[in-house]
Structures are given as structure tokens and as C-alpha cells.
Amino acid sequence: VLNRIIESIMLLASWWSVIVVLCIDILFVASLYIWRVPHNLDRDHPEVIKRRIISISVVSLISPGIAYAFTTFKGPAEFNLLESLGLRCESLLLGIIIPLFLTSLLFAGPLVGYALDIYDSAQCECVRLCGEPPESETEQKNAPSTGHLLRHGHLKEALMERGRSLINPYPNQALIGIRNFFFAPICEELVYRSCICSILIFDGWGASITTLASPLLFGIAHMHHSLNLIRSKGYSLKQALVAVGFQLMYTTIFGIYASFLFLRTGHLIGVCLVHSFCNMLGFPDFSVFSNRFHSLYSYRRVIGVAYLVGLVLFWQLLLPLTLPSIYSSPYAQFL
């Protein structure tokens, strides 16, 4: 009987880290619903955003304390909390530039699409400012150049406005932009990468399991969006589950990538910027290849080549550019 008790205790001890990270995950999601707000308010309502920013910030401040309390016993003797959280200065510039560069290769297609969209906008603005394109040589000579229009300011303003609309689709709702591009990336990466990854890996779960487990929790944490779809947008249960299931898929894939970058580089800031960058671009719009009415349909071959080249370069450069030795990653011994 005593042996069975000891075996049970040892088994529980080996799963203690799993229990801890599940509690953090539940705490993160539950904090979004502690506020009493009308059910019909959308998650993008300013009051909902403000309250959730407060509660998520509190959880994000508590989580490193939980990670420290756990890893103090499980981690190495020379354990350093800030380093384990990815808050360190060594090779910081590389830890920011290289993850962003690799991610831009993944999004080479959308980025080329955005550039072409801005180019088309410039052409349309030139036509608007100058009238119809000049036909005769005399008209071409007398027509103002693009450089003149840029110096004059009208075209420059139009292009900047188009660029801003592509980068931030919420110009009149600053809180949505602040949440999506600032608070969400920082808080989610601090909790799901810095804290949960460090807890799992220092408990001996290994890099592979950690890289998969943390993103799965990260993806599951987004499933609560189904409540918002049902309550605020009138989705049926089936429609909400399909939409959230798709979101679960791509947030989990992103989480695997983010965990990979975090463990290999040992830097949190770079992963937060990658998260913000991905939120900014959103899920790639593949309808450009099939929808004849898409504004960029005529450029589909160029965009397709950009996708292909970007993916090939990403695949070839991912491992060489994320060698832990380049960044002196504190997790190098576990990889």
C-alpha cells in the first residue's frame, strides 16, 4: 500500500506542471468574463475592451510569479526569472530582426499584394488628379509627373491614407488597434510563451512536447470567441463552432511557430512583434487566385510566385537563422 501511495505521489508530481499550466490557461480565459456586461455587447465594444485589458493585464502580471514559484524548485540552480521569461539584452537586436524577417517570408504573398494594391491606388489617384491618361506626346509632356504630384502633397497623402487603411483597418476605433496590436500580443506571449513554456520545459517535458502543448492551450483559449459570435452576431451554434474551429487551427499553428521561435531565440520581444505583425496582416486572402472580381486578380501570378519563393526561403532559412547558439538562448540545453 505504501509503495502504491509513493507511486501515486510521484505520478502526480510528474504531472504537476500540467496542472499548473492548465490553471494559468483557465485563469486567463476566466478573467475575460469576470465583468458584468450586457450579453449583447460585442467583444469590440469599447467598454468590453477596456475591462478585458485590465483583467488580462492582471493575469499577465500574476503568471510570471506562478512561473517563478514553480521553476524555483524545478529549474536549474542558476535559474534567472527574467532570462527564462525572455527578457534579456544579449543578442536582442538579432532576436527581433530575424524572427520578423522569417515571418515576412511566410507572408511574402500578402505583402506583395499590399504593395500592388498601393501601386494601383497611386495609379487611380494620378488619374483623379490629372484627368484621363494623356494620349498625344504634347499632352504627355505637359502632364504633371508622379514626382511632381508627390511633392505637391495630394498623391502622397492619398498613398499614406491607403497604407494606413491596410495596416490598421480600425481608424475610428483606436481601442481595437491597441488591443490587437499591443496588449494581446504582449499579454498572450508573456503568458503562453514565457510562463507556460518555461514551466513545462523546466519540468522535463522536453522541447517537442512544450512546443506543441503551449500552442494547443493558446488555441483552446480562443474558443471562447464562440460565445461572442452566438450572443452578439447571431451565429447558430454550428456556425460558431465552424468559425472557432478554423480559428483554433490557425492560432494553434501560429502558437507552434511562436513557441519554436521563443525557445530557439530565448527572446520575448521578437515573438511579441511577430504576433503583432501577424495580427496586422491577418489570415492570407487566397480568394485573389479564384475570384475574378478581386481587385488584385490580374496580379495573381505575381502574388503566387511571391508565396512560393517566400515559403521556399522560409523553409531553407528557418533552422540556420534560429540556431540557439546565435542568441545564447537559455533554453539551448533543452533543444
Side-chain angles (χ1 to χ4, degrees):
V1 175
L2 182 60
N3 288 338
R4 289 182 180 178
I5 293 174
I6 293 173
E7 287 176 4
S8 299
I9 293 173
M10 293 298 292
L11 181 63
L12 180 62
S14 66
W15 284 85
W16 182 240
S17 58
V18 177
I19 296 171
V20 171
V21 298
L22 282 174
C23 289
I24 292 175
D25 186 43
I26 292 170
L27 182 64
F28 187 89
V29 176
S31 69
L32 300 173
Y33 295 96
I34 62 171
W35 305 99
R36 299 185 65 179
V37 294
H39 286 174
N40 62 334
L41 284 188
D42 187 80
R43 63 185 291 265
D44 292 334
H45 190 279
E47 284 304 312
V48 176
I49 293 175
K50 290 175 186 176
R51 294 178 184 186
R52 288 186 170 183
I53 283 176
I54 294 171
S55 56
I56 287 299
S57 298
V58 171
V59 174
S60 299
L61 291 173
I62 292 173
S63 296
I66 297 173
Y68 177 73
F70 184 85
T71 49
T72 298
F73 297 100
K74 293 285 187 175
E78 65 278 7
F79 171 77
N80 183 300
L81 176 62
L82 292 180
E83 282 194 359
S84 73
L85 295 178
L87 301 173
R88 56 197 190 92
C89 295
E90 191 173 0
S91 305
L92 177 60
L93 192 59
L94 284 175
I96 292 174
I97 293 174
I98 291 180
L100 282 173
F101 169 68
L102 289 170
T103 308
S104 68
L105 292 178
L106 266 181
F107 284 88
L111 288 173
V112 169
Y114 284 135
L116 290 171
D117 187 69
I118 292 174
Y119 171 77
D120 275 357
S121 297
Q123 296 290 91
C124 293
E125 190 64 18
C126 281
V127 170
R128 189 185 72 79
L129 293 173
C130 306
E132 291 299 318
E135 295 180 1
S136 67
E137 290 186 9
T138 305
E139 288 178 337
Q140 289 176 4
K141 289 179 181 178
N142 295 332
S145 65
T146 303
H148 172 77
L149 291 173
L150 282 171
R151 287 190 295 273
H152 196 261
H154 296 299
L155 180 57
K156 183 178 179 181
E157 288 176 11
L159 290 179
M160 288 183 67
E161 181 60 32
R162 181 57 181 159
R164 281 194 293 267
S165 68
L166 290 171
I167 293 172
N168 180 17
Y170 316 106
N172 299 320
Q173 296 173 293
L175 275 175
I176 297 178
I178 291 171
R179 179 197 62 194
N180 291 355
F181 308 138
F182 184 73
F183 272 99
I186 291 176
C187 293
E188 289 179 358
E189 295 309 317
L190 179 62
V191 171
Y192 287 93
R193 244 54 69 186
S194 293
C195 298
I196 288 180
C197 280
S198 62
I199 289 172
L200 291 174
I201 206 162
F202 282 133
D203 196 35
W205 283 99
S208 298
I209 293 178
T210 299
T211 304
L212 293 173
S214 172
L216 188 58
L217 291 172
F218 176 72
I220 292 172
H222 287 76
M223 291 192 72
H224 69 90
H225 290 168
S226 59
L227 295 175
N228 177 70
L229 295 176
I230 294 171
R231 291 176 175 176
S232 304
K233 298 187 181 296
Y235 279 43
S236 67
L237 178 60
K238 183 179 179 180
Q239 290 173 323
L241 289 177
V242 169
V244 172
F246 178 72
Q247 188 179 29
L248 172 64
M249 178 191 70
Y250 73 75
T251 51
T252 301
I253 291 172
F254 170 78
I256 292 172
Y257 176 57
S259 297
F260 177 88
L261 289 177
F262 175 72
L263 294 176
R264 303 250 319 167
T265 66
H267 284 289
L268 175 65
I269 296 176
V271 180
C272 289
L273 291 174
V274 166
H275 191 149
S276 182
F277 179 72
C278 290
N279 280 359
M280 192 178 297
L281 294 181
F283 192 80
D285 179 15
F286 294 113
S287 67
V288 66
F289 300 111
S290 58
N291 183 4
R292 292 180 177 274
F293 299 102
H294 196 288
S295 60
L296 297 175
Y297 180 75
S298 59
Y299 298 111
R300 63 192 182 282
R301 291 185 179 86
V302 176
I303 296 173
V305 170
Y307 269 109
L308 182 61
V309 172
L311 287 172
V312 170
L313 288 175
F314 174 80
W315 185 256
Q316 292 295 320
L317 297 174
L318 180 61
L319 291 179
L321 291 184
T322 58
L323 284 173
S325 57
I326 297 176
Y327 311 91
S328 301
S329 172
Y331 297 104
Q333 58 182 309
F334 302 103
L335 303 175

